[in-house]
Amino acid sequence: MEMKTETLEIGDVVYHFSQGEFFKTKDQAEKLLSLAQGMFKLELVDKDGTKQPNIDVDVGAILKNITNAECKEVQDFILSTVKVVKNGEGILFTNKEQRSLHFNGHRSDYYQVLVAGVKFHFLDFLPSGGAFMTSTIGQAINKAVTQM
């Protein structure tokens, strides 16, 4: 079976995500779901006669969990599956020094890469993960950003 890959292009940098080993990825997905408890409240609200998802975001819980050891493990897992290509040269993030050196020069890319990595690695673990969760996560992120 062919491994899933995806790219994210930000400016002149291309981030290549490669699928992680199943059980390692599953373990990280479970950590992420555990961390997400209390961060988001999802309700179905009546909008023009149809039920629509509405997400309340607890920005304080998000900020608190960003420094959590399990969140750091999820971040490390995502970054360990990324190859960065800039000006035709590729870099694998095999250690923190390489990651630090790269993101020191591309600070605004960091959270974009992590969000893309979360979607890439973990959405397909959820029932009907792709379409519903992508729009739900997008809604949550937009709401969180406007509250900050």
Side-chain angles (χ1 to χ4, degrees):
M1 177 177 223
E2 189 171 317
M3 295 293 267
K4 181 172 87 168
T5 61
E6 191 170 295
T7 60
L8 170 66
E9 192 169 331
I10 304 173
D12 63 345
V13 181
V14 181
Y15 298 90
H16 297 266
F17 296 92
S18 296
Q19 187 173 17
E21 188 271 322
F22 175 79
F23 287 104
K24 285 182 183 177
T25 306
K26 179 194 74 68
D27 290 346
Q28 297 303 319
E30 290 169 353
K31 286 178 187 175
L32 193 59
L33 286 172
S34 174
L35 288 169
Q37 290 180 348
M39 287 188 203
F40 307 101
K41 180 180 175 189
L42 176 63
E43 297 180 303
L44 292 176
V45 295
D46 191 25
K47 201 175 207 180
D48 300 326
T50 62
K51 296 284 185 183
Q52 300 290 322
N54 181 54
I55 298 178
D56 283 326
V57 179
D58 184 342
V59 175
I62 292 171
L63 295 174
K64 177 182 158 194
N65 281 333
I66 284 177
T67 60
N68 182 304
E70 286 187 324
C71 189
K72 296 281 186 202
E73 287 180 38
V74 172
Q75 291 175 29
D76 287 343
F77 169 78
I78 290 169
L79 294 175
S80 73
T81 66
V82 175
K83 177 182 179 184
V84 179
V85 177
K86 183 177 178 185
N87 300 326
E89 292 185 32
I91 304 165
L92 282 175
F93 283 154
T94 55
N95 62 52
K96 286 189 178 196
E97 185 179 319
Q98 290 170 322
R99 295 174 197 165
S100 181
L101 186 62
H102 173 77
F103 285 114
N104 222 17
H106 300 87
R107 290 177 185 259
S108 65
D109 292 5
Y110 185 73
Y111 286 109
Q112 293 177 72
V113 170
L114 289 179
V115 169
V118 165
K119 291 177 183 179
F120 173 76
H121 286 290
F122 307 126
L123 280 185
D124 57 354
F125 278 96
L126 302 173
S128 69
F132 175 73
M133 287 308 294
T134 299
S135 66
T136 304
I137 287 172
Q139 181 186 357
I141 290 169
N142 290 337
K143 198 172 235 185
V145 167
T146 60
Q147 291 179 9
M148 293 181 150

